[in-house]
Amino acid sequence: MQSLTRLLNTALTLQPPQRLGNAAAVALQQWRGKTKVVEKPKPGAGQQFRRTVHFPEEYTVEPLEITHLAGRDPVSGRLVAKGIGGGVKQQYRWVKWVRDGPPEGAPREELVLEVLRDGCRTAKVALVAVGDELKYILATENMKAGDILKTSRVIPRIPVRPNEGDAYPLGALPVGTRIHCLEKNPGQACHLIHAAGTFGTILRKFDDKVVVQLPSKREFAFHRTCMATVGRLSNTEHNKEHVGSAQRMRELGNRPRSGLWKRKEGKHGRKIRRLPPMTTIAPPAPPKEEAIRLTLPL
């Protein structure tokens, strides 16, 4: 489509309309005016092509409505991701990614009401009650109904002894603690370490930074006030689950491939590379200030 449009545009710019003939020139002008060239989006840029979740304005624990995309762009409808298609209907539960506690005093207690599976993510979710509020969080490996969780933003002089599911700043946790749901910058949503059975490890501390080893074995230095949840995520046997049949693979929402591409041959084989060095997470850039323009009356 793009090459055809380019050729027609070139023909219209190089040859005057009278040389092409009046009928042909009018037809090409009409075709160029009606045709709309839509750029094909690229996967891997943070855009979701499996489903679209319709979020309401206020937080709710009710299952949300979903529109299945089957690998197509929601705007143009063009096929972008070829390996997505089919799948059974799922219910999406809105996880509240912010674990916020009191900045001073005793930690806030939260009661786990139920631990259940969510078809739109690999780890289990837990329904938690905080006062008169209900919310979903990611469940840990041994979390069960009736557990009491603690959340605090206080960083004491001596590291705390946390239990599984508690949320504290990185500076309040001892070295060697397993964590998940980690904030990248203080105050932002916890958007690191969400997959089933994964965890990060606190390695060391220096100045106001805490070095954490992510599940990819890469090391990052985060600010000591970044919140994290203690423990390993639930559904630890997810990576060992046997699919068993092609029908089961279709139920999971995966479209079959052609079988021509082989992973274990030639340049696609496994390569062992050195891990990159530790990366320091910098604070977000401040917003740009608009220039003040002063005008004089005429």
Side-chain angles (χ1 to χ4, degrees), residues 180-215:
H180 64 274
C181 285
L182 173 62
E183 290 181 350
K184 193 172 182 180
N185 289 298
Q188 293 184 352
C190 305
H191 63 280
L192 292 176
I193 316 178
H194 290 169
T198 58
F199 61 90
T201 308
I202 299 179
L203 298 181
R204 57 188 181 275
K205 303 178 181 180
F206 66 94
D207 298 335
D208 59 346
K209 301 289 185 180
V210 178
V211 180
V212 178
Q213 186 184 53
L214 299 186

Side-chain angles (χ1 to χ4, degrees), residues 147-168:
D147 290 349
I148 302 296
L149 311 180
K150 296 181 179 180
T151 305
S152 175
R153 286 190 175 271
V154 180
I155 302 180
R157 184 176 59 88
I158 300 176
V160 299
R161 299 182 61 182
N163 297 322
E164 191 174 293
D166 295 347
Y168 287 96

Side-chain angles (χ1 to χ4, degrees), residues 1 48 50 61 74 94 121 126 134 137 147 162 176 187 219 228 251 297:
M1 177 66 73
Q48 178 69 257
R50 182 176 293 274
V61 294
W94 193 353
R121 52 178 50 88
L134 295 177
I137 64 171
D147 290 349
E219 298 179 5
E251 293 175 359

Side-chain angles (χ1 to χ4, degrees), residues 64-132:
L64 304 182
E65 295 183 359
I66 302 175
T67 299
H68 290 273
L69 299 177
R72 295 186 177 273
D73 181 60
V75 178
S76 63
R78 300 184 61 180
L79 185 64
V80 178
K82 295 184 178 180
I84 302 176
V88 297
K89 293 183 178 181
Q90 305 289 353
Q91 289 184 331
Y92 187 92
R93 291 172 174 84
W94 193 353
V95 173
K96 201 165 189 178
W97 299 112
V98 179
R99 293 286 299 272
D100 197 6
E104 58 183 9
R108 184 175 62 185
E109 295 184 350
E110 305 172 356
L111 175 63
V112 179
L113 301 180
E114 185 181 4
V115 178
L116 42 90
R117 294 188 65 108
D118 186 5
C120 298
R121 52 178 50 88
T122 56
K124 297 180 181 179
V125 296
L127 182 61
V128 177
V130 186
D132 56 351

